[in-house]
Every structure is written in C-alpha cells, then in structure tokens.
Amino acid sequence: MRTRTAAGIAAELEAELEQYPDERGQILVEAAQAWRQAGDDDRAVALLTQAIALGGEDGGNARVDLAQVLFDLGQAEQAHAQLDELRHQRPSSPAPYHLAAELLEDRGEHQQALTWFNMAVARLAEQEMADRDTEFGFFSYANNVVAGRRRVRHALGMPPDELDESVQVLSEQAEDLARALTPPAPPKEVRVLFWPRNEIPRAHDTWPQLVEHAEADTIIADREAANRELSEAGIARITMVPLTTAKLLEFTNRTGSDPTDEQTRLACMNEIVENSGAISWPPARNASCWCGSATKYKKCCGRPRLD
C-alpha cells in the first residue's frame, strides 16, 4: 500500500482547484499547509498569496497563515505587517481574528493577543453567543473564542470579568457532562444470595412468588452464567451466600419481618456472611461446586460452556 506523503497530499489538493472553484480559497489554504509540512515554504507562500487575493474569510485565514510562515522564517516585522493589513481590512467573520489571537498567544505576545481576541468576540453573532448557554455550550465555537480571551487575560494578571466568569460556568457544565458520560467503576465485590440446588424445590413450594419454578438445573446454570458476566465486567470478587428455607424462616420469625421483602433477605444475607457462611466464586476446580451438588466444580458448574 502506497504511503501518502505531505507533498503528495498537497499536489492532490492543488489538482482539486479547478474541480471545486467555489472552495478555491479553502483548498489553497489546505494545500499551503501541506506544502509547509513537506518543507516547501516558498510554494506555501505562493498559494497563501493567491488565497489572500480572493478576500473573504478564507483570504483572512490565509493572511494569518502567511504571518505564521513569516514568523517561523524569522521575519517578524513582515509577519506583523500582514496582521496589520488584516486588521485594516476589517473582515466580518470572527475566524481570522481568532486565528491571529491564538498565533500571538503561542508566541507569548499576550497583550496583542488580547486585542485580537476582543475583536473576535465583538464579531460573534448573537446566536453564536446564545449557543454557549445550551446543554453542550462548552463545545461551541463562541465559547472556544471566549475561553482563549480568558487565558490571555489570566496570563496578563488581569482579574476575571463577567465574560471570563461565564466560561468558568460552562467549564463546570462540561465536567458534569463528562462525569455523566463516564461509566461508573465496577464494585470490588458483589454478594449473591442464592438457593442451593436441593433447596430450590422446597423454596418454590414455600414462596412461589420468590422462586417461580423448581427447575434447579436451569436456575443454577443461569446463576453461573451471570457470575461469569460479572467477572468479565471487572468485578474483582464474587461472594455466594447460600440461603435455605429453614434459615429464612428462622430469621423472619426472630425479627418479625416479611420473607418476601427484599430488605429482609438482604439483612438475612448479611447475617449469614457475618457467621462465615459465604462461599467465594469461582471455587478451585477440584473443590466442591458452589451450587451444593457435592460434585467437583470442574465437573459441575465449572465445565466449559458450549457457546
């Protein structure tokens, strides 16, 4: 497979100039950036000069890119002249001002960067500013501009103004959103209350609303499958807590609670655990199976699944 080089990408972009005349300015800027990556600054300058001649937002963006080339070539005076010319032309779009502000910020010229950020903010449309107050306002272009303004003001030691404070509010919203989108870490331990194999028919007869059927093989197989899913999900420890009808009856009679209530069974489970009646899952392969079959785990629930 042929690797595309920066020069190759630049040549491909130039080839598109005739095919997409309405996008000529943008294509010229992109091609110039590719030529810069290829190390051909002269070709980049030539294309940027063509884009500047077209005017409009693309022309303004191209002038900022040309200023960056000149800065990189050590021609700071000529670079600032390009920015002065951009300011004199007064483009209506905030984008060129924003790009110039970030260029000067990167160079550590914070006072001039602030001037350009202020000009960019002044050219943001009312709707763009209103978009900052929406649920995803932190990601809006306007907020990006205002956040840049706040950065340079902070670098200049200026106290935050109302506009700066509005960025902080949006930042907090973004952090809340990020937390909401981040899945919670799995718990380190899960306790599973279960009916041992020989208790299932008895529990079904006693509390059919709790144990809907007496098919022990199905119930036990489903529990083993659920445990494996928990393990694969990152649960570090699974503790099996066997419950018998005799234990639940004794507990409810002693506490005066309802055996069909979930909180009752949870309290009973905790008591079993405190009395060392829990089983770690999975058992060792040659240990007795957790389900109460008295068969080795490897020959019972621990057998390979036939998925």
Side-chain angles (χ1 to χ4, degrees):
M1 181 178 178
R2 183 172 63 89
T3 302
R4 298 174 72 207
T5 63
I9 294 172
E12 291 174 8
L13 286 168
E14 287 198 56
E16 294 179 355
L17 288 171
E18 298 301 325
Q19 186 177 0
Y20 303 103
D22 293 341
E23 301 176 22
R24 183 176 181 82
Q26 181 179 349
I27 294 173
L28 284 169
V29 171
E30 292 176 357
Q33 292 170 348
W35 280 121
R36 288 219 70 200
Q37 293 177 8
D40 192 338
D41 289 335
D42 290 340
R43 185 58 184 163
V45 169
L47 296 182
L48 290 172
T49 301
Q50 292 182 44
I52 290 169
L54 296 175
E57 181 177 329
D58 290 330
N61 294 343
R63 195 177 288 280
V64 178
D65 280 3
L66 179 57
Q68 182 170 3
V69 175
L70 294 171
F71 277 131
D72 291 345
L73 294 175
Q75 301 175 26
E77 184 176 348
Q78 294 90 325
H80 279 293
Q82 290 294 331
L83 296 180
D84 289 342
E85 181 60 26
L86 174 64
R87 185 173 181 177
H88 175 73
Q89 291 178 349
R90 303 173 63 86
S92 59
S93 169
Y97 300 91
H98 183 211
L99 291 175
E102 291 188 328
L103 173 61
L104 292 166
E105 180 188 6
D106 288 342
R107 289 179 51 79
E109 300 180 31
H110 294 115
Q111 190 62 60
Q112 292 195 51
L114 178 58
T115 298
W116 285 90
F117 271 120
N118 284 332
M119 290 190 290
V121 169
R123 285 161 177 79
L124 289 168
E126 289 185 10
Q127 185 57 54
E128 289 178 305
M129 293 297 286
D131 287 343
R132 299 168 63 242
D133 296 325
T134 63
E135 181 180 2
F136 299 102
F138 180 78
F139 302 103
S140 67
Y141 174 69
N143 193 69
N144 188 26
V145 175
V146 177
R149 175 182 179 273
R150 184 182 69 165
R151 285 196 308 271
V152 296
R153 284 174 55 84
H154 179 75
L156 290 167
M158 302 175 69
D161 60 11
E162 184 176 353
L163 200 55
D164 293 339
E165 294 291 351
S166 72
V167 178
Q168 179 63 34
V169 172
L170 291 171
S171 176
E172 292 171 356
Q173 291 177 354
E175 292 174 1
D176 292 341
L177 176 62
R179 283 193 291 270
L181 295 177
T182 302
K188 294 182 179 180
E189 179 186 7
V190 169
R191 292 179 177 179
V192 178
L193 188 65
F194 76 100
W195 300 101
R197 187 181 294 271
N198 62 352
E199 283 288 329
I200 291 174
R202 187 178 300 113
H204 170 67
D205 292 339
T206 308
W207 300 291
Q209 66 271 49
L210 292 181
V211 184
E212 296 181 357
H213 60 81
E215 299 172 6
D217 288 343
T218 300
I219 294 175
I220 294 299
D222 288 347
R223 183 65 260 166
E224 176 71 18
N227 283 3
R228 295 186 186 191
E229 290 179 4
L230 289 172
S231 180
E232 291 170 359
I235 305 299
R237 181 179 179 184
I238 299 174
T239 300
M240 306 297 290
V241 184
L243 178 63
T244 65
T245 54
K247 173 59 182 176
L248 185 55
L249 285 170
E250 183 277 328
F251 181 84
T252 54
N253 289 333
R254 172 163 44 88
T255 59
S257 53
D258 181 1
T260 63
D261 183 74
E262 182 180 4
Q263 294 303 316
T264 296
R265 298 193 300 280
L266 288 175
C268 184
M269 178 182 69
N270 291 333
E271 185 173 280
I272 295 170
V273 172
E274 290 173 1
N275 292 328
S276 303
I279 304 167
S280 293
W281 184 97
R285 294 184 70 250
N286 290 315
S288 297
C289 188
W290 62 267
C291 73
S293 65
T295 303
K296 290 182 178 180
Y297 179 64
K298 68 180 181 181
K299 293 184 178 181
C300 190
C301 294
R303 289 178 298 179
R305 292 170 291 179
L306 301 178
D307 295 342

mmCIF file of all heavy atoms in Angstrom, residues 127-168:
data_model
loop_
_atom_site.group_PDB
_atom_site.id
_atom_site.type_symbol
_atom_site.label_atom_id
_atom_site.label_comp_id
_atom_site.label_asym_id
_atom_site.label_seq_id
_atom_site.Cartn_x
_atom_site.Cartn_y
_atom_site.Cartn_z
ATOM 1 N N GLN A 127 -26.571 34.748 17.984
ATOM 2 C CA GLN A 127 -26.930 33.333 18.103
ATOM 3 C C GLN A 127 -25.733 32.508 18.553
ATOM 4 O O GLN A 127 -25.874 31.560 19.330
ATOM 5 C CB GLN A 127 -27.466 32.809 16.773
ATOM 6 C CG GLN A 127 -27.977 31.365 16.841
ATOM 7 C CD GLN A 127 -29.056 31.187 17.895
ATOM 8 O OE1 GLN A 127 -30.056 31.902 17.891
ATOM 9 N NE2 GLN A 127 -28.861 30.237 18.809
ATOM 10 N N GLU A 128 -24.535 32.846 18.068
ATOM 11 C CA GLU A 128 -23.339 32.125 18.485
ATOM 12 C C GLU A 128 -23.101 32.293 19.983
ATOM 13 O O GLU A 128 -22.738 31.324 20.676
ATOM 14 C CB GLU A 128 -22.120 32.619 17.696
ATOM 15 C CG GLU A 128 -22.121 32.208 16.236
ATOM 16 C CD GLU A 128 -20.921 32.749 15.486
ATOM 17 O OE1 GLU A 128 -20.720 33.983 15.514
ATOM 18 O OE2 GLU A 128 -20.175 31.944 14.873
ATOM 19 N N MET A 129 -23.298 33.498 20.479
ATOM 20 C CA MET A 129 -23.141 33.729 21.911
ATOM 21 C C MET A 129 -24.234 33.004 22.697
ATOM 22 O O MET A 129 -23.979 32.448 23.774
ATOM 23 C CB MET A 129 -23.179 35.229 22.215
ATOM 24 C CG MET A 129 -21.988 35.995 21.647
ATOM 25 S SD MET A 129 -20.400 35.468 22.377
ATOM 26 C CE MET A 129 -20.528 36.218 24.007
ATOM 27 N N ALA A 130 -25.452 32.977 22.131
ATOM 28 C CA ALA A 130 -26.553 32.291 22.806
ATOM 29 C C ALA A 130 -26.310 30.790 22.867
ATOM 30 O O ALA A 130 -26.743 30.120 23.811
ATOM 31 C CB ALA A 130 -27.871 32.583 22.091
ATOM 32 N N ASP A 131 -25.606 30.253 21.878
ATOM 33 C CA ASP A 131 -25.329 28.815 21.859
ATOM 34 C C ASP A 131 -24.504 28.382 23.066
ATOM 35 O O ASP A 131 -24.513 27.211 23.441
ATOM 36 C CB ASP A 131 -24.573 28.439 20.572
ATOM 37 C CG ASP A 131 -25.477 28.475 19.353
ATOM 38 O OD1 ASP A 131 -26.720 28.474 19.522
ATOM 39 O OD2 ASP A 131 -24.949 28.525 18.225
ATOM 40 N N ARG A 132 -23.813 29.322 23.689
ATOM 41 C CA ARG A 132 -22.988 28.985 24.853
ATOM 42 C C ARG A 132 -23.839 28.597 26.057
ATOM 43 O O ARG A 132 -23.350 27.955 26.983
ATOM 44 C CB ARG A 132 -22.095 30.172 25.223
ATOM 45 C CG ARG A 132 -21.139 30.577 24.114
ATOM 46 C CD ARG A 132 -20.475 31.922 24.384
ATOM 47 N NE ARG A 132 -19.648 31.884 25.564
ATOM 48 C CZ ARG A 132 -19.860 32.637 26.652
ATOM 49 N NH1 ARG A 132 -20.887 33.460 26.702
ATOM 50 N NH2 ARG A 132 -19.054 32.539 27.684
ATOM 51 N N ASP A 133 -25.107 28.998 26.042
ATOM 52 C CA ASP A 133 -25.989 28.723 27.181
ATOM 53 C C ASP A 133 -26.779 27.430 27.015
ATOM 54 O O ASP A 133 -27.622 27.116 27.846
ATOM 55 C CB ASP A 133 -26.970 29.888 27.368
ATOM 56 C CG ASP A 133 -26.258 31.183 27.718
ATOM 57 O OD1 ASP A 133 -25.241 31.111 28.436
ATOM 58 O OD2 ASP A 133 -26.705 32.249 27.271
ATOM 59 N N THR A 134 -26.504 26.683 25.948
ATOM 60 C CA THR A 134 -27.197 25.419 25.735
ATOM 61 C C THR A 134 -26.491 24.305 26.494
ATOM 62 O O THR A 134 -25.420 24.505 27.078
ATOM 63 C CB THR A 134 -27.248 25.073 24.237
ATOM 64 O OG1 THR A 134 -25.903 24.898 23.748
ATOM 65 C CG2 THR A 134 -27.927 26.189 23.449
ATOM 66 N N GLU A 135 -27.090 23.117 26.446
ATOM 67 C CA GLU A 135 -26.545 21.985 27.199
ATOM 68 C C GLU A 135 -25.111 21.678 26.805
ATOM 69 O O GLU A 135 -24.287 21.324 27.644
ATOM 70 C CB GLU A 135 -27.429 20.755 26.968
ATOM 71 C CG GLU A 135 -26.973 19.509 27.722
ATOM 72 C CD GLU A 135 -27.875 18.317 27.473
ATOM 73 O OE1 GLU A 135 -28.832 18.458 26.676
ATOM 74 O OE2 GLU A 135 -27.626 17.255 28.082
ATOM 75 N N PHE A 136 -24.804 21.804 25.513
ATOM 76 C CA PHE A 136 -23.455 21.493 25.044
ATOM 77 C C PHE A 136 -22.693 22.762 24.673
ATOM 78 O O PHE A 136 -21.842 22.754 23.791
ATOM 79 C CB PHE A 136 -23.528 20.551 23.836
ATOM 80 C CG PHE A 136 -24.194 19.236 24.138
ATOM 81 C CD1 PHE A 136 -25.504 19.000 23.766
ATOM 82 C CD2 PHE A 136 -23.519 18.258 24.841
ATOM 83 C CE1 PHE A 136 -26.126 17.793 24.062
ATOM 84 C CE2 PHE A 136 -24.123 17.052 25.143
ATOM 85 C CZ PHE A 136 -25.432 16.821 24.755
ATOM 86 N N GLY A 137 -23.019 23.855 25.368
ATOM 87 C CA GLY A 137 -22.398 25.131 25.056
ATOM 88 C C GLY A 137 -20.891 25.157 25.218
ATOM 89 O O GLY A 137 -20.209 25.954 24.576
ATOM 90 N N PHE A 138 -20.361 24.280 26.075
ATOM 91 C CA PHE A 138 -18.914 24.255 26.282
ATOM 92 C C PHE A 138 -18.174 23.942 24.990
ATOM 93 O O PHE A 138 -17.036 24.357 24.792
ATOM 94 C CB PHE A 138 -18.571 23.219 27.349
ATOM 95 C CG PHE A 138 -17.093 23.107 27.633
ATOM 96 C CD1 PHE A 138 -16.450 24.037 28.426
ATOM 97 C CD2 PHE A 138 -16.342 22.079 27.088
ATOM 98 C CE1 PHE A 138 -15.090 23.946 28.684
ATOM 99 C CE2 PHE A 138 -14.984 21.980 27.333
ATOM 100 C CZ PHE A 138 -14.354 22.906 28.136
ATOM 101 N N PHE A 139 -18.854 23.195 24.083
ATOM 102 C CA PHE A 139 -18.196 22.771 22.847
ATOM 103 C C PHE A 139 -18.419 23.763 21.699
ATOM 104 O O PHE A 139 -17.963 23.522 20.596
ATOM 105 C CB PHE A 139 -18.711 21.392 22.436
ATOM 106 C CG PHE A 139 -18.496 20.334 23.482
ATOM 107 C CD1 PHE A 139 -19.546 19.903 24.271
ATOM 108 C CD2 PHE A 139 -17.242 19.792 23.688
ATOM 109 C CE1 PHE A 139 -19.345 18.935 25.249
ATOM 110 C CE2 PHE A 139 -17.038 18.834 24.666
ATOM 111 C CZ PHE A 139 -18.098 18.406 25.446
ATOM 112 N N SER A 140 -19.122 24.849 21.951
ATOM 113 C CA SER A 140 -19.435 25.793 20.878
ATOM 114 C C SER A 140 -18.198 26.596 20.479
ATOM 115 O O SER A 140 -17.261 26.781 21.255
ATOM 116 C CB SER A 140 -20.552 26.737 21.322
ATOM 117 O OG SER A 140 -20.087 27.585 22.368
ATOM 118 N N TYR A 141 -18.242 27.083 19.227
ATOM 119 C CA TYR A 141 -17.127 27.893 18.735
ATOM 120 C C TYR A 141 -16.988 29.170 19.555
ATOM 121 O O TYR A 141 -15.880 29.574 19.922
ATOM 122 C CB TYR A 141 -17.346 28.240 17.262
ATOM 123 C CG TYR A 141 -16.307 29.193 16.719
ATOM 124 C CD1 TYR A 141 -14.991 28.776 16.541
ATOM 125 C CD2 TYR A 141 -16.638 30.512 16.415
ATOM 126 C CE1 TYR A 141 -14.023 29.654 16.060
ATOM 127 C CE2 TYR A 141 -15.680 31.393 15.932
ATOM 128 C CZ TYR A 141 -14.373 30.954 15.762
ATOM 129 O OH TYR A 141 -13.417 31.822 15.293
ATOM 130 N N ALA A 142 -18.120 29.794 19.872
ATOM 131 C CA ALA A 142 -18.068 31.053 20.631
ATOM 132 C C ALA A 142 -17.393 30.854 21.977
ATOM 133 O O ALA A 142 -16.598 31.694 22.416
ATOM 134 C CB ALA A 142 -19.480 31.610 20.816
ATOM 135 N N ASN A 143 -17.696 29.763 22.636
ATOM 136 C CA ASN A 143 -17.072 29.535 23.937
ATOM 137 C C ASN A 143 -15.570 29.307 23.796
ATOM 138 O O ASN A 143 -14.789 29.682 24.666
ATOM 139 C CB ASN A 143 -17.709 28.344 24.639
ATOM 140 C CG ASN A 143 -17.295 28.277 26.103
ATOM 141 O OD1 ASN A 143 -17.693 29.107 26.896
ATOM 142 N ND2 ASN A 143 -16.470 27.299 26.436
ATOM 143 N N ASN A 144 -15.170 28.692 22.688
ATOM 144 C CA ASN A 144 -13.745 28.494 22.435
ATOM 145 C C ASN A 144 -13.037 29.842 22.321
ATOM 146 O O ASN A 144 -11.930 30.033 22.849
ATOM 147 C CB ASN A 144 -13.571 27.679 21.153
ATOM 148 C CG ASN A 144 -12.141 27.251 20.922
ATOM 149 O OD1 ASN A 144 -11.353 27.121 21.855
ATOM 150 N ND2 ASN A 144 -11.791 27.034 19.672
ATOM 151 N N VAL A 145 -13.666 30.785 21.635
ATOM 152 C CA VAL A 145 -13.085 32.127 21.495
ATOM 153 C C VAL A 145 -13.009 32.817 22.853
ATOM 154 O O VAL A 145 -11.964 33.374 23.234
ATOM 155 C CB VAL A 145 -13.923 32.966 20.515
ATOM 156 C CG1 VAL A 145 -13.385 34.400 20.454
ATOM 157 C CG2 VAL A 145 -13.911 32.339 19.119
ATOM 158 N N VAL A 146 -14.105 32.783 23.595
ATOM 159 C CA VAL A 146 -14.145 33.459 24.896
ATOM 160 C C VAL A 146 -13.164 32.816 25.871
ATOM 161 O O VAL A 146 -12.529 33.494 26.684
ATOM 162 C CB VAL A 146 -15.575 33.442 25.462
ATOM 163 C CG1 VAL A 146 -15.621 34.085 26.841
ATOM 164 C CG2 VAL A 146 -16.524 34.178 24.521
ATOM 165 N N ALA A 147 -13.014 31.491 25.786
ATOM 166 C CA ALA A 147 -12.055 30.804 26.651
ATOM 167 C C ALA A 147 -10.631 31.247 26.342
ATOM 168 O O ALA A 147 -9.805 31.403 27.251
ATOM 169 C CB ALA A 147 -12.186 29.291 26.485
ATOM 170 N N GLY A 148 -10.319 31.461 25.067
ATOM 171 C CA GLY A 148 -8.995 31.961 24.708
ATOM 172 C C GLY A 148 -8.746 33.349 25.265
ATOM 173 O O GLY A 148 -7.655 33.656 25.768
ATOM 174 N N ARG A 149 -9.771 34.184 25.193
ATOM 175 C CA ARG A 149 -9.661 35.535 25.765
ATOM 176 C C ARG A 149 -9.369 35.451 27.255
ATOM 177 O O ARG A 149 -8.532 36.190 27.782
ATOM 178 C CB ARG A 149 -10.962 36.294 25.516
ATOM 179 C CG ARG A 149 -11.032 37.676 26.157
ATOM 180 C CD ARG A 149 -12.396 38.304 25.886
ATOM 181 N NE ARG A 149 -12.526 39.615 26.507
ATOM 182 C CZ ARG A 149 -12.935 39.835 27.747
ATOM 183 N NH1 ARG A 149 -13.238 38.793 28.539
ATOM 184 N NH2 ARG A 149 -13.036 41.065 28.219
ATOM 185 N N ARG A 150 -10.056 34.561 27.940
ATOM 186 C CA ARG A 150 -9.822 34.420 29.382
ATOM 187 C C ARG A 150 -8.391 33.960 29.662
ATOM 188 O O ARG A 150 -7.764 34.408 30.630
ATOM 189 C CB ARG A 150 -10.820 33.429 29.994
ATOM 190 C CG ARG A 150 -10.696 33.325 31.502
ATOM 191 C CD ARG A 150 -11.651 32.324 32.091
ATOM 192 N NE ARG A 150 -11.309 30.952 31.734
ATOM 193 C CZ ARG A 150 -11.810 29.878 32.339
ATOM 194 N NH1 ARG A 150 -12.702 30.020 33.316
ATOM 195 N NH2 ARG A 150 -11.482 28.674 31.959
ATOM 196 N N ARG A 151 -7.863 33.049 28.825
ATOM 197 C CA ARG A 151 -6.494 32.557 29.044
ATOM 198 C C ARG A 151 -5.483 33.693 29.031
ATOM 199 O O ARG A 151 -4.618 33.781 29.907
ATOM 200 C CB ARG A 151 -6.116 31.533 27.976
ATOM 201 C CG ARG A 151 -6.727 30.169 28.117
ATOM 202 C CD ARG A 151 -5.983 29.173 27.242
ATOM 203 N NE ARG A 151 -5.853 29.605 25.857
ATOM 204 C CZ ARG A 151 -6.730 29.352 24.898
ATOM 205 N NH1 ARG A 151 -7.836 28.680 25.189
ATOM 206 N NH2 ARG A 151 -6.525 29.769 23.650
ATOM 207 N N VAL A 152 -5.570 34.554 28.013
ATOM 208 C CA VAL A 152 -4.555 35.609 27.905
ATOM 209 C C VAL A 152 -4.766 36.666 28.987
ATOM 210 O O VAL A 152 -3.792 37.254 29.475
ATOM 211 C CB VAL A 152 -4.544 36.232 26.490
ATOM 212 C CG1 VAL A 152 -4.140 35.192 25.462
ATOM 213 C CG2 VAL A 152 -5.871 36.849 26.120
ATOM 214 N N ARG A 153 -6.014 36.911 29.352
ATOM 215 C CA ARG A 153 -6.249 37.853 30.455
ATOM 216 C C ARG A 153 -5.626 37.314 31.743
ATOM 217 O O ARG A 153 -5.023 38.062 32.520
ATOM 218 C CB ARG A 153 -7.752 38.088 30.637
ATOM 219 C CG ARG A 153 -8.361 39.010 29.588
ATOM 220 C CD ARG A 153 -9.889 39.085 29.723
ATOM 221 N NE ARG A 153 -10.299 39.486 31.062
ATOM 222 C CZ ARG A 153 -10.374 40.741 31.488
ATOM 223 N NH1 ARG A 153 -10.075 41.733 30.665
ATOM 224 N NH2 ARG A 153 -10.754 41.022 32.711
ATOM 225 N N HIS A 154 -5.768 36.023 31.958
ATOM 226 C CA HIS A 154 -5.153 35.415 33.140
ATOM 227 C C HIS A 154 -3.636 35.519 33.061
ATOM 228 O O HIS A 154 -2.968 35.807 34.067
ATOM 229 C CB HIS A 154 -5.588 33.958 33.240
ATOM 230 C CG HIS A 154 -4.986 33.227 34.404
ATOM 231 N ND1 HIS A 154 -5.409 33.421 35.709
ATOM 232 C CD2 HIS A 154 -3.976 32.308 34.466
ATOM 233 C CE1 HIS A 154 -4.697 32.659 36.511
ATOM 234 N NE2 HIS A 154 -3.820 31.971 35.793
ATOM 235 N N ALA A 155 -3.081 35.268 31.863
ATOM 236 C CA ALA A 155 -1.626 35.354 31.703
ATOM 237 C C ALA A 155 -1.124 36.769 31.954
ATOM 238 O O ALA A 155 0.018 36.963 32.404
ATOM 239 C CB ALA A 155 -1.234 34.896 30.293
ATOM 240 N N LEU A 156 -1.965 37.766 31.695
ATOM 241 C CA LEU A 156 -1.583 39.161 31.917
ATOM 242 C C LEU A 156 -1.853 39.605 33.352
ATOM 243 O O LEU A 156 -1.608 40.763 33.704
ATOM 244 C CB LEU A 156 -2.357 40.071 30.948
ATOM 245 C CG LEU A 156 -1.947 39.953 29.467
ATOM 246 C CD1 LEU A 156 -2.975 40.647 28.577
ATOM 247 C CD2 LEU A 156 -0.565 40.555 29.256
ATOM 248 N N GLY A 157 -2.366 38.698 34.182
ATOM 249 C CA GLY A 157 -2.629 39.027 35.573
ATOM 250 C C GLY A 157 -3.869 39.863 35.779
ATOM 251 O O GLY A 157 -4.006 40.532 36.816
ATOM 252 N N MET A 158 -4.783 39.843 34.830
ATOM 253 C CA MET A 158 -5.992 40.649 34.926
ATOM 254 C C MET A 158 -7.066 39.890 35.705
ATOM 255 O O MET A 158 -7.211 38.675 35.534
ATOM 256 C CB MET A 158 -6.500 41.003 33.525
ATOM 257 C CG MET A 158 -5.495 41.750 32.682
ATOM 258 S SD MET A 158 -6.064 42.021 30.972
ATOM 259 C CE MET A 158 -7.395 43.184 31.260
ATOM 260 N N PRO A 159 -7.817 40.566 36.558
ATOM 261 C CA PRO A 159 -8.892 39.882 37.296
ATOM 262 C C PRO A 159 -9.995 39.454 36.332
ATOM 263 O O PRO A 159 -10.238 40.114 35.318
ATOM 264 C CB PRO A 159 -9.390 40.952 38.278
ATOM 265 C CG PRO A 159 -9.029 42.251 37.624
ATOM 266 C CD PRO A 159 -7.743 42.010 36.887
ATOM 267 N N PRO A 160 -10.668 38.364 36.625
ATOM 268 C CA PRO A 160 -11.721 37.888 35.721
ATOM 269 C C PRO A 160 -12.880 38.867 35.654
ATOM 270 O O PRO A 160 -13.301 39.422 36.671
ATOM 271 C CB PRO A 160 -12.139 36.548 36.334
ATOM 272 C CG PRO A 160 -11.733 36.627 37.767
ATOM 273 C CD PRO A 160 -10.496 37.471 37.795
ATOM 274 N N ASP A 161 -13.378 39.091 34.450
ATOM 275 C CA ASP A 161 -14.567 39.916 34.288
ATOM 276 C C ASP A 161 -15.772 39.009 34.076
ATOM 277 O O ASP A 161 -15.689 37.782 34.200
ATOM 278 C CB ASP A 161 -14.397 40.916 33.138
ATOM 279 C CG ASP A 161 -14.152 40.221 31.794
ATOM 280 O OD1 ASP A 161 -14.316 38.975 31.714
ATOM 281 O OD2 ASP A 161 -13.803 40.917 30.825
ATOM 282 N N GLU A 162 -16.909 39.597 33.772
ATOM 283 C CA GLU A 162 -18.149 38.826 33.646
ATOM 284 C C GLU A 162 -18.048 37.784 32.538
ATOM 285 O O GLU A 162 -18.535 36.656 32.679
ATOM 286 C CB GLU A 162 -19.315 39.779 33.374
ATOM 287 C CG GLU A 162 -20.676 39.081 33.326
ATOM 288 C CD GLU A 162 -21.817 40.065 33.150
ATOM 289 O OE1 GLU A 162 -21.557 41.290 33.192
ATOM 290 O OE2 GLU A 162 -22.963 39.616 32.967
ATOM 291 N N LEU A 163 -17.408 38.150 31.446
ATOM 292 C CA LEU A 163 -17.258 37.206 30.332
ATOM 293 C C LEU A 163 -16.357 36.043 30.729
ATOM 294 O O LEU A 163 -16.628 34.887 30.382
ATOM 295 C CB LEU A 163 -16.691 37.935 29.110
ATOM 296 C CG LEU A 163 -16.904 37.261 27.749
ATOM 297 C CD1 LEU A 163 -18.373 36.981 27.495
ATOM 298 C CD2 LEU A 163 -16.324 38.147 26.649
ATOM 299 N N ASP A 164 -15.295 36.331 31.462
ATOM 300 C CA ASP A 164 -14.418 35.271 31.956
ATOM 301 C C ASP A 164 -15.195 34.313 32.859
ATOM 302 O O ASP A 164 -15.045 33.091 32.769
ATOM 303 C CB ASP A 164 -13.242 35.854 32.746
ATOM 304 C CG ASP A 164 -12.288 36.652 31.877
ATOM 305 O OD1 ASP A 164 -12.300 36.428 30.651
ATOM 306 O OD2 ASP A 164 -11.546 37.470 32.417
ATOM 307 N N GLU A 165 -16.008 34.866 33.731
ATOM 308 C CA GLU A 165 -16.759 34.044 34.672
ATOM 309 C C GLU A 165 -17.746 33.139 33.946
ATOM 310 O O GLU A 165 -18.023 32.018 34.389
ATOM 311 C CB GLU A 165 -17.513 34.920 35.676
ATOM 312 C CG GLU A 165 -16.613 35.714 36.611
ATOM 313 C CD GLU A 165 -15.870 34.830 37.601
ATOM 314 O OE1 GLU A 165 -16.179 33.636 37.673
ATOM 315 O OE2 GLU A 165 -14.976 35.351 38.303
ATOM 316 N N SER A 166 -18.279 33.593 32.822
ATOM 317 C CA SER A 166 -19.232 32.769 32.085
ATOM 318 C C SER A 166 -18.555 31.536 31.517
ATOM 319 O O SER A 166 -19.164 30.472 31.401
ATOM 320 C CB SER A 166 -19.887 33.574 30.962
ATOM 321 O OG SER A 166 -18.974 33.821 29.898
ATOM 322 N N VAL A 167 -17.271 31.640 31.177
ATOM 323 C CA VAL A 167 -16.536 30.474 30.697
ATOM 324 C C VAL A 167 -16.364 29.474 31.817
ATOM 325 O O VAL A 167 -16.500 28.264 31.615
ATOM 326 C CB VAL A 167 -15.152 30.890 30.140
ATOM 327 C CG1 VAL A 167 -14.372 29.661 29.700
ATOM 328 C CG2 VAL A 167 -15.316 31.848 28.984
ATOM 329 N N GLN A 168 -16.115 29.929 33.007
ATOM 330 C CA GLN A 168 -15.954 29.017 34.143
ATOM 331 C C GLN A 168 -17.220 28.211 34.375
ATOM 332 O O GLN A 168 -17.175 27.014 34.630
ATOM 333 C CB GLN A 168 -15.611 29.811 35.409
ATOM 334 C CG GLN A 168 -15.451 28.957 36.650
ATOM 335 C CD GLN A 168 -14.306 27.988 36.545
ATOM 336 O OE1 GLN A 168 -13.294 28.288 35.921
ATOM 337 N NE2 GLN A 168 -14.457 26.810 37.113
#
